[in-house]
Amino acid sequence: MPSRSRARVGAAAVDSDSDSDSGSDSAAVGRGQTRQRVIEAAADLLAREGRDAVTTRAVAVAAGLQPPAIYRLFGDKEGLLEAVAEHGFATFLAAKHVDPDPQDLIEDLRDGWDLAVEFGLANPALYTLMYSEPTRATSPAFRAGMEILMGRVRRLAAGGRLRVDEELAATLIHATARGAVLTWLSLPEDRRNPALLTTLRESMVAAVTNQKPAVQDTGPAGAARALRATLPEQTTLSGAEQHLLREWLDRLASEG
């Protein structure tokens, strides 16, 4: 049977381990808070004075730290800028409104496009930083935003409103919004015509959507009936392939 002294030693060891874990957690929280303070200071400098103003020394002063702290937290200036860009993607993601069942799919597409453009115009320096490097597409927040966009595209496809492949549609939507913002920002203020944004948006809508649903009834059955109706017009498939496809479509259509 263990002695009382040994039990006390064991209890003390457990307490010591708990204190150590607590200290590690506190240190991690403190480091995270400091890192966020630096990112916000850098983002503020970027917005007020432009990218050239975001030096490690200026950011350190704004955040109330010594310059070496920036290197410990981010590695170098590029690491800090990467973190600021990720902060931008996360901020934009938080502003996105997702309606899982919009009444008007086309208006929902327009609203999402407008939101992306408005964010860029309201945050020109941050937006330019976010999209200045192709590698930023690996950002977790960027990928989450693209998933929201893909959700809109899938709803368009399911409603029979999508004119092109889903992947191409998402690329066109993203590219036109990004291009609209960067083109607008590159123009002198006296040449910034709002019609440019409206025309680009409507050109995108016309390129990726049908004016009327290609499928009147949503769901697999409606899509199967629409495809079955146009099957005799295509020549890509062999006779045997057409026969097999028609059998599958008949089964899917009957479920509706």
Side-chain angles (χ1 to χ4, degrees):
M1 182 175 181
S3 66
R4 290 185 179 180
S5 60
R6 187 175 300 172
R8 284 197 295 269
V9 170
V14 170
D15 289 343
S16 177
D17 288 344
S18 298
D19 290 343
S20 176
D21 291 343
S22 177
S24 298
D25 291 344
S26 297
V29 170
R31 180 183 176 87
Q33 291 174 340
T34 300
R35 192 175 190 278
Q36 186 62 27
R37 188 167 82 246
V38 172
I39 291 171
E40 290 174 358
D44 183 61
L45 271 174
L46 180 68
R48 289 188 293 104
E49 302 180 36
R51 182 165 178 164
D52 290 343
V54 186
T55 64
T56 52
R57 182 172 296 278
V59 173
V61 170
L65 300 170
Q66 294 298 317
I70 305 295
Y71 293 95
R72 287 196 299 272
L73 290 167
F74 302 97
D76 54 19
K77 180 181 175 179
E78 284 306 309
L80 172 60
L81 291 175
E82 285 286 342
V84 173
E86 176 66 16
H87 170 72
F89 286 123
T91 301
F92 175 50
L93 181 63
K96 283 195 171 188
H97 169 69
V98 182
D99 185 349
D101 187 25
Q103 289 187 340
D104 189 320
L105 294 171
I106 305 299
E107 281 306 307
D108 182 58
L109 174 60
R110 287 191 176 100
D111 290 344
W113 195 92
D114 285 346
L115 180 64
V117 170
E118 288 164 5
F119 178 83
L121 300 186
N123 303 277
L126 178 59
Y127 191 90
T128 302
L129 174 66
M130 289 162 59
Y131 290 104
S132 63
E133 299 291 340
T135 54
R136 302 245 162 85
T138 61
S139 152
F142 174 84
R143 291 199 300 269
M146 289 302 292
E147 277 302 309
I148 292 175
L149 173 57
M150 287 303 299
R152 281 195 167 95
V153 171
R154 290 187 194 107
R155 287 192 290 274
L156 285 165
R161 302 303 296 269
L162 198 61
R163 180 187 294 273
V164 296
D165 173 79
E166 290 183 29
E167 192 68 32
L168 177 58
T171 302
L172 285 168
I173 296 164
H174 175 68
T176 53
R178 178 175 172 177
V181 172
L182 296 178
T183 299
W184 180 275
L185 296 177
S186 72
L187 294 172
E189 290 193 14
D190 60 351
R191 291 181 54 198
R192 293 177 177 177
N193 185 346
L196 169 67
L197 304 179
T198 303
T199 303
L200 283 171
R201 184 192 65 196
E202 293 310 303
S203 297
M204 175 276 297
V205 170
V208 303
T209 67
N210 298 308
Q211 288 187 346
K212 295 181 179 179
V215 179
Q216 296 300 320
D217 300 321
T218 60
R225 283 191 286 271
L227 180 55
R228 185 176 58 184
T230 60
L231 191 58
E233 301 172 7
Q234 68 81 41
T235 57
T236 304
L237 302 177
S238 68
E241 289 170 335
Q242 287 195 47
H243 178 77
L244 181 58
L245 179 57
R246 179 174 291 280
E247 182 180 337
W248 289 342
L249 293 175
D250 286 344
R251 288 163 61 186
L252 286 170
S254 66
E255 293 180 3

